[in-house]
Amino acid sequence: MSRVRVAIVGGSGYTGGELIRLLLFHPMVEISQVASGSQAGHFVHSAHPNLRKISTLRFCHPDDLTTCDVLFLCLPHGVSSGEIERYRTLAPRVIDLSGDFRLRTPDLYRRWYGHEHPAPELLSEAVYGLPELHRAELPEAALVSGTGCMATTSILGLAPLYRAGVVNQSIPLVLEAKVGSSAAGAKAGPSSHHPDRSGAVRSFEPTGHRHTAELIQELGQFEGGELQQMVAFSATAVEMVRGILVTAHVFLNENLEEKAIWRIFREAYQREPFVRLVKERNGVYRYPEPKILSGSNYCDVGFEVDREQQRVVVIAALDNLMKGAAGNGVQALNCMFGWDESLGLTFPGLHPV
């Protein structure tokens, strides 16, 4: 059986590097080209030293791309949408891991991204690439969007409760995401300068983060449209390289016992290959912990019930470069071609690390 030929644009960044690492070991895929405007002509391992002796691929210039079966776009936000028609002439199926096709209407891009979308006619066509919510749509999809790393963590933690209809939406949903430095990308800046970043616990977007739009959109599908509940989302940078930990406060419309909450989460995720329920009675890792998820495609979800306040505290964790980006993209690719979803994604993470 011939392998699917995959090319990657924007392969010199962190997400691109993870995608290369994963696809080099994918049994159904051949990487045909990896493009980078800044690294053209250089070996891939010059940007991704973990790939030494693993691959002899060299970066090509994006202008030198040829046709392939699937094209992954790992470009900064706002870039791929401006050139999407050209990219679609190179491959019948495109997976864009930026934020350019995540939201469904031009109005949402004006509100959350602050600009007009250059290809608004494609927004309704693009499938939001989270298999746990859109698995049935992926096999026929020609354009698949990436998902925001903090949005993915939050949505996977909260979706079972919204699907079950137990959330009191007259009370705001309050959640905070703590995120590692790699989420800001490979390009250096003042906030990533070591003397300023080391030891930091920095609130960098306490209100108005664009991933809020994805929560409203995706959780709203369980209500038949956009979520009407107020969502108060805050983002905090902490001293780790990989990982996201989301803590969400969800108030219920009835005072459910813990076993009822367990039932809701088990029914939602018992057949999901990459969502694990983590809630132990004791031990250091009794709740989700991003540290042990580094390099894996798992999202760990836990909770604690506060019956006095009729509240569930949902805790979710993942690796922002894996389930929050490249790994989730490969999982979506597997769904698109009807393959086992775990192909190329079986690494379990490390402990200790």
Side-chain angles (χ1 to χ4, degrees):
M1 184 177 180
S2 61
R3 295 190 175 199
V4 170
R5 297 174 70 251
V6 172
I8 301 166
V9 184
S12 61
Y14 293 145
T15 297
E18 283 295 85
L19 190 57
I20 297 165
R21 177 178 69 86
L22 295 172
L23 294 180
L24 283 171
F25 295 95
H26 195 296
M28 305 299 291
V29 166
E30 173 194 349
I31 301 178
S32 58
Q33 289 177 293
V34 181
S36 168
S38 62
Q39 298 290 325
H42 296 284
F43 283 110
V44 164
H45 62 67
S46 66
H48 308 297
N50 57 318
L51 300 181
R52 290 174 180 142
K53 275 200 168 182
I54 302 297
S55 173
T56 58
L57 281 168
R58 289 180 183 265
F59 291 108
C60 70
H61 192 277
D63 292 344
D64 297 326
L65 285 165
T66 57
T67 57
C68 58
D69 299 313
V70 180
L71 186 65
F72 273 95
L73 305 178
C74 304
L75 297 165
H77 298 316
V79 175
S80 61
S81 56
E83 299 186 61
I84 190 63
E85 289 305 325
R86 172 181 171 251
Y87 290 135
R88 296 189 86 187
T89 65
L90 297 172
R93 313 187 86 173
V94 175
I95 301 174
D96 176 25
L97 297 183
S98 78
D100 284 15
F101 294 96
R102 293 173 186 168
L103 307 181
R104 296 196 183 105
T105 70
D107 288 343
L108 289 173
Y109 278 93
R110 282 191 289 270
R111 176 182 174 188
W112 292 99
Y113 284 76
H115 63 74
E116 295 292 330
H117 197 282
E121 70 281 0
L122 296 178
L123 296 178
S124 60
E125 176 187 339
V127 173
Y128 189 75
L130 190 60
E132 289 80 6
L133 268 62
H134 295 279
R135 183 175 284 113
E137 300 161 59
L138 289 169
E140 302 300 321
L143 177 60
V144 173
S145 78
T147 60
C149 54
M150 289 182 284
T152 299
T153 320
S154 305
I155 291 165
L156 290 176
L158 296 168
L161 298 175
Y162 281 84
R163 184 185 285 116
V166 298
V167 178
N168 183 348
Q169 296 192 32
S170 67
I171 302 175
L173 168 65
V174 179
L175 62 166
E176 185 205 27
K178 297 179 178 68
V179 61
S181 58
S182 62
K187 187 175 181 179
S191 65
S192 64
H193 186 50
H194 183 266
D196 294 315
R197 178 73 194 212
S198 181
V201 181
R202 180 178 300 136
S203 182
F204 69 92
E205 207 148 5
T207 64
H209 197 286
R210 59 185 56 168
H211 287 190
T212 309
E214 295 174 56
L215 270 72
I216 294 170
Q217 172 180 282
E218 295 303 309
L219 296 177
Q221 69 178 292
F222 302 115
E223 306 299 317
E226 186 176 288
L227 191 70
Q228 299 304 308
Q229 183 183 20
M230 290 182 62
V231 177
F233 177 83
S234 299
T236 304
V238 297
E239 190 178 6
M240 58 183 176
V241 175
R242 292 174 180 252
I244 295 172
L245 181 72
V246 166
T247 304
H249 303 268
V250 186
F251 292 86
L252 306 178
N253 52 29
E254 58 180 303
N255 209 348
L256 297 175
E257 295 182 357
E258 183 174 293
K259 63 182 180 182
I261 303 298
W262 263 117
R263 188 178 305 114
I264 289 170
F265 278 96
R266 283 194 182 113
E267 288 177 357
Y269 289 142
Q270 61 184 343
R271 294 181 181 85
E272 287 296 340
F274 292 112
V275 181
R276 305 186 298 194
L277 299 182
V278 178
K279 178 173 163 52
E280 307 289 345
R281 293 186 181 275
N282 49 55
V284 175
Y285 295 101
R286 63 187 181 275
Y287 297 123
E289 162 63 72
K291 179 180 178 180
I292 60 170
L293 297 174
S294 291
S296 83
N297 196 51
Y298 289 103
C299 178
D300 285 354
V301 177
F303 66 89
E304 199 61 63
V305 177
D306 179 359
R307 297 202 70 196
E308 286 190 10
Q309 297 188 34
Q310 205 163 306
R311 172 180 65 133
V312 176
V313 179
V314 175
I315 305 135
L318 51 71
D319 179 341
N320 55 286
L321 295 177
M322 281 293 297
K323 185 59 177 165
N328 189 69
V330 173
Q331 187 181 353
L333 173 74
N334 290 339
C335 291
M336 292 167 74
F337 283 87
W339 302 328
D340 184 328
E341 283 185 41
S342 65
L343 286 182
L345 296 170
T346 56
F347 181 68
L350 298 171
H351 178 258
V353 62

